[in-house]
Amino acid sequence: MQILIPLWFRRKPKPPVLIRPHTLASRLVRNSGVVEETRDDGRVVLVLSLKPARWTRILGQSTEIPVLRKFELDELGHEVWDRCASSPTVEQLIRRFAADHQVNVREAEVSVVSFIQMLMKRGLVGVVFCRLEGRGVEVEGFDVEAFILERRV
């Protein structure tokens, strides 16, 4: 006799345990749904269009109108945001940031990684984890073009 367990009672798989070298060798991928706007005073605002949650239909709200979330970046945040697309790895992003601002690499690592974590929590960037083989870094079978973050409110 087989017992059927509803989906909401099933355990989710645990996320992989990442060590520092794997994290620093990973690449950042911007969410394709983010629109970058520059205001007149030079501030940069990131606008993310989110799909409304399904339960909003119960409350009578329209699920076809997207919810817009806006995030304002300062100068340093905008610099890191611009380099997310061009830096091959997180470690190179950190080293370039440390060299440009004349700070210790460890200080730059702490601030940049915490900023990247905040961007990830908000769904603005994703991380492509790489495996280390010898000296080179190879991306595991991952289609970056198909990587789209879908978030619900």
Side-chain angles (χ1 to χ4, degrees):
M1 180 174 158
Q2 186 178 20
I3 299 174
L4 298 175
I5 300 173
L7 290 176
W8 56 84
F9 286 125
R10 293 183 185 168
R11 290 185 182 177
K12 294 182 182 178
K14 292 182 180 181
V17 177
L18 298 173
I19 57 176
R20 187 171 174 266
H22 290 267
T23 305
L24 294 178
S26 61
R27 295 187 315 147
L28 296 174
V29 180
R30 287 185 183 182
N31 186 343
S32 60
V34 176
V35 178
E36 188 176 329
E37 297 176 354
T38 306
R39 294 189 176 171
D40 295 334
D41 56 358
R43 291 185 289 173
V44 176
V45 177
L46 303 178
V47 180
L48 178 61
S49 177
L50 302 173
K51 292 182 180 180
R54 292 182 190 150
W55 59 267
T56 57
R57 199 174 336 158
I58 296 171
L59 299 176
Q61 298 176 355
S62 174
T63 58
E64 297 175 7
I65 301 172
V67 177
L68 297 178
R69 296 280 172 124
K70 295 185 178 187
F71 306 97
E72 188 173 331
L73 300 179
D74 61 354
E75 293 175 13
L76 298 177
H78 182 243
E79 182 180 331
V80 173
W81 172 255
D82 280 342
R83 291 184 179 172
C84 283
S86 63
S87 281
T89 64
V90 174
E91 183 176 14
Q92 290 176 354
L93 174 71
I94 291 168
R95 291 191 185 282
R96 196 177 307 161
F97 185 85
D100 289 348
H101 297 285
Q102 290 88 29
V103 294
N104 186 355
V105 175
R106 182 67 181 145
E107 293 172 1
E109 181 180 339
V110 169
S111 60
V112 170
V113 168
S114 64
F115 182 70
I116 290 171
Q117 287 175 346
M118 187 271 306
L119 292 176
M120 288 175 57
K121 285 180 185 176
R122 296 194 174 17
L124 298 172
V125 297
V127 176
V128 178
F129 292 105
C130 304
R131 68 173 184 264
L132 300 172
E133 290 187 9
R135 293 185 176 179
V137 176
E138 295 182 12
V139 177
E140 294 178 6
F142 189 84
D143 186 10
V144 176
E145 299 299 325
F147 181 74
I148 299 172
L149 294 174
E150 292 185 13
R151 303 251 326 200
R152 298 190 184 275
V153 176

